[in-house]
Amino acid sequence: MSNKFQSNISNWYRRLSGKLLDTVATPHLLGDIPKGLQSLPAKLEPLAISPQTEAGESTSPAVIGHERAICYVFFEHSMSNALLVDGEARRQNLPAPLNPMVSHRLNEETAILYIKNTDEGNPFRTPTDTQPPRLLRLMDAVAQFPDLDVELVPITILWGRAPDKEDSLFKLLFADSWATPSLLKQSANIIVHGRQAFVQFHDPLALRALVADIRKQGPSDANEIAKRIMQQLRDYLTRQREIVLGPDLSDRRNMVDDLMSTQSIQEAVQREMTRSNKTSIEVHHEAHGYLDEIASDYSYSAVRFLERSLTWLWTQLYDGVEVHHFQSVRNIADEYELIYTPSHRSHIDYLLLSYVIYKRGMMIPYIAAGDNLNIPGVGPLLRRGGAFFIRRTFKGNPLYVSVFKEYLHSILTRNNPIEYFIEGGRSRTGRLLPPKTGMLAMTIHSHMRGAGKPIAFIPTYIGYERLMEGATYVGEMSGKPKESESVWGLLQAARKIERIFGKVHVSFGEPVFLDQVLKAHNADSIQLLSNDDPMPREAKLAVDTVAENIMQNINRAAVLNPVSLLSVVLLATPKHALDEEVCIKQLDTYRSLAEAVPYDERIEITTFSGRDIIAYGLKLKLIKRVKHLLGDMIAIEDGQGVLLTYFRNNILHLFILPSLIASLVQHNGRISREEIGSVIQTLYPFLQAELFLKWRKEMLDEVIDQQLAALISAELVLDDGSNTVYSPPPNSEAYNQLGVLAAPVQQSLERYFMTLTLLSQQGSGRITAKQVEDLSHLLGQRLSVLYEFNSPEFFDKALFRSFVAALSELKYVTIDDQGLIHFDHRLINMAEDSRLVLNADTLNALQHMTNVSEEEIQSAIAALAKKKERKPKAK
């Protein structure tokens, strides 16, 4: 009777305390409920159900069936933490921690195990320093009953998310940190941060397996095994806590002073004194100024302000921010130093990625931001939100280089996550830009000095459906100089706040593990002593490989959204317009092909039908419906054509191979599989360099067969049953669909042929690589006007530079010390092979345009040089 009365009092007290806590605390769930907990059987066999429960409360006992018991692991003893998790578990329909673990095998008052304080019998009692008796009893039960296992579920609980800062009095009362909270602090936490409480359920750990693993290491004594289990749980929860809070931080002033006293910076100061004949005080002041210019000043209050502001901003601008594959990042965050390497398509990227990471319960990264963003009003806020500023060029300033490298090394040593844009600047064309490896090389250099954890680079695809900078990009693609950032520019952008920009997609790609790449290049054992040590050749090759893998993995995580799909279809038509029903069928065909042969398992494909996509494009005012008695037509809205090339280029790599196959079949009418394979094998390295395609050359035959099978299944390509494929009858619907599919690759092929023709007409050893790049750019501009080659990005210099570099790497050309390009008959033969993929009119236009004299070349080069001198310097 006494026990029952005590149990009723305990339940009454728990329910009352829980209700009081609910009035001031609203827990936010971090991450997903682990699959091990999601997979609880729908029908539980309650061996013993906990005493009276309120209507609506979970009655699930902590013992599940005959085989599995759930016990929650808390880092420290806390009544409020126990109540908080108990309420959240009930809301998630999970076994409740404050329910007893009762059966003929177990008899525990609660399902909680504490790491720091081990009197688990009742969370409301005064904690003691005894060994964990509950763990010993659970271990004994598992040993006695072979069909029973206990799964330990570690729990992270945070009240606020401010990392520690030295010399901060505020931390003593408010916000969760690394110290165990006192009763006073915990009360303050609940009052101040009740609406910012966070709970995360981690993957269950089987007690039977933990005991077995430790026994294999030697210990057999139960107390020693229990001690090791508790240490593993402590280490695990410490790492998980660090993922959310980040490591302990020093304040900015102390951090700068500490860096100034490092050996690397002191040696750099001495070298600068010798080089510049300045005094010690002057050079120290200069180095200190560089650190002050660079260093972040992370502030939790600024982060919270940004979070609330951005939540409002995204609501105003976007229909939603969709995040894909974030769990793969969370899964490795406790073991690796995370370096986020996203694509860069908008200034919004800086804020968006940090927002997404923070909202999902992980420490926001320190962001390498260009110093062009360090503008009044904006720079200080970004700095307090985790940004550190970096100059566009380090050239001619060795002291700055040493200071910056030491600052970066300090971040990596503290295991802070970092973010930088691997492309260097924003893409104005929608394609990924060639990677800039400066930050990457410094990161790997720092790792070789022995900085912190192993490194995992996180390639991240960011895709928009409309861009705030859209109008600016159109001007820049048309030849206008790039605009510098300013407060006025940001205010102008803010005027668009009432516009709808569709959805934003953030998709996390497959991580690139640095240690694996270093090992593949025999660079895993290299150790550097200071930031001045040069990187060996093997390490430099590893940098290039990491950069290439990052770019490919960004594209492997692409999102095929309605706008990009609409763009790739409408831009493939001569007048950028289609009959509405034909447009719907073409959209559905593209989507079906993407689903039939997915580019990668991480690719996300819109679920919208062709009709839904058109409605969505009309809503965003990107397209228009042209009424007609014989059937409505869908056309690109006036002034949106060039901008839509941007969104097409985001996902061009997904369709480039089927487009090339379609082009070969349609252009030739009938063609053998061997010819298709041969042409693709020749052209693929150039397309791969341009679009960062993932397939190795030896994989192509299998990929081509898969793509052909999908096209045949869609009846866009016909198979005669032998080794030959052919196109549908001319003027048929399928033939027209094949033509639309063939269009996306044409622009790349036209550029290649134009450059090859220019080289062959000028002759080997008579033109430099720089002249080829400049002339191809000018010819592309002219062709775009005279022959409507679609868009200004047709004459993007970076694409011609990439093509010449690929020719050189594949040994089609050699470039001598004067920059002159030398080649033989193989290059001319490749130009001739273009007849298999380009029609006669296009070939004639390209040949005519590239037939320029020496005088015309020199005149054009001089004009470009003069234009460059007049062009204002842009950041």
Side-chain angles (χ1 to χ4, degrees), residues 389-407:
F389 293 100
I390 180 172
R391 294 184 179 182
R392 291 297 188 182
T393 178
F394 295 0
K395 189 175 181 180
N397 196 336
L399 180 61
Y400 181 88
V401 173
S402 295
V403 167
F404 182 82
K405 289 172 74 173
E406 195 61 26
Y407 175 74

Side-chain angles (χ1 to χ4, degrees), residues 222-524:
N223 281 310
E224 179 62 24
I225 292 172
K227 181 180 178 182
R228 294 202 182 190
I229 289 175
M230 295 299 280
Q231 185 59 50
Q232 288 185 28
L233 293 169
R234 180 194 302 272
D235 293 344
Y236 178 81
L237 281 175
T238 297
R239 293 196 303 269
Q240 296 301 323
R241 194 178 181 88
E242 184 176 294
I243 290 170
V244 182
L245 293 179
D248 290 359
L249 299 178
S250 296
D251 69 87
R252 189 172 187 268
R253 177 177 54 80
N254 287 342
M255 180 272 298
V256 169
D257 290 343
D258 289 345
L259 284 175
M260 283 297 301
S261 64
T262 60
Q263 182 178 347
S264 293
I265 290 185
Q266 288 300 312
E267 290 175 353
V269 166
Q270 292 298 319
R271 289 194 300 272
E272 182 65 16
M273 288 168 58
T274 303
R275 189 184 73 89
S276 64
N277 292 322
K278 294 179 181 177
T279 66
S280 174
I281 293 176
E282 288 175 327
V283 178
H284 271 89
H285 181 73
E286 189 175 350
H288 195 283
Y290 289 153
L291 275 174
D292 196 55
E293 171 190 326
I294 293 167
S296 172
D297 188 19
Y298 182 90
S299 163
Y300 179 65
S301 58
V303 170
R304 286 285 293 122
F305 169 77
L306 284 168
E307 182 220 354
R308 293 182 178 183
S309 301
L310 292 176
T311 298
W312 173 83
L313 180 64
W314 304 149
T315 303
Q316 296 298 310
L317 283 180
Y318 302 116
D319 292 336
V321 178
E322 296 197 0
V323 180
H324 312 280
H325 313 299
F326 186 75
Q327 191 61 38
S328 63
V329 180
R330 191 186 301 280
N331 290 343
I332 64 171
D334 61 333
E335 299 291 340
Y336 289 89
E337 166 77 11
L338 300 182
I339 310 291
Y340 297 92
T341 51
S343 59
H344 195 13
R345 289 170 174 144
S346 169
H347 279 314
I348 295 295
D349 299 341
Y350 289 98
L351 305 172
L352 180 66
L353 186 57
S354 291
Y355 177 84
V356 164
I357 293 167
Y358 183 84
K359 292 295 283 187
R360 277 149 186 80
M362 288 175 60
M363 174 66 178
I364 66 171
Y366 279 37
I367 307 168
D371 62 354
N372 56 321
L373 289 177
N374 193 14
I375 53 182
V378 175
L381 182 60
L382 293 178
R383 193 186 295 275
R384 293 173 69 79
F388 60 95
F389 293 100
I390 180 172
R391 294 184 179 182
R392 291 297 188 182
T393 178
F394 295 0
K395 189 175 181 180
N397 196 336
L399 180 61
Y400 181 88
V401 173
S402 295
V403 167
F404 182 82
K405 289 172 74 173
E406 195 61 26
Y407 175 74
L408 180 65
H409 183 67
S410 74
I411 298 177
L412 291 166
T413 304
R414 295 198 307 268
N415 296 318
N416 287 110
I418 299 176
E419 172 195 337
Y420 47 77
F421 297 102
I422 190 72
E423 299 165 275
R426 290 171 292 154
S427 171
R428 266 67 173 185
T429 66
R431 302 168 185 265
L432 291 180
L433 302 174
K436 302 290 179 61
T437 57
M439 280 291 295
L440 192 60
M442 285 188 282
T443 301
I444 295 175
H445 189 286
S446 176
H447 177 74
M448 289 179 167
R449 291 175 60 191
K453 298 178 182 178
I455 288 176
F457 296 95
I458 310 298
T460 308
Y461 174 94
I462 302 178
Y464 298 89
E465 294 176 346
R466 293 202 70 158
L467 286 169
M468 291 187 69
E469 302 98 330
T472 301
Y473 285 179
V474 170
E476 290 176 1
M477 284 193 291
S478 300
K480 293 181 181 179
K482 295 180 181 179
E483 295 183 5
S484 300
E485 283 73 21
S486 65
V487 174
W488 174 244
L490 291 174
L491 289 174
Q492 285 183 310
R495 292 171 55 196
K496 303 176 183 180
I497 198 107
E498 77 283 358
R499 297 177 60 179
I500 300 299
F501 286 81
K503 289 186 177 180
V504 185
H505 297 266
V506 181
S507 184
F508 294 87
E510 182 178 336
V512 178
F513 298 101
L514 176 59
D515 285 353
Q516 293 179 6
V517 179
L518 292 176
K519 186 175 181 179
H521 287 279
N522 297 316
D524 51 322

Side-chain angles (χ1 to χ4, degrees), residues 20 199 375 533 592 660 835 870:
L20 289 174
V199 174
I375 53 182
D533 288 349
S592 297
L660 181 53
R835 300 183 185 280
R870 293 197 307 265

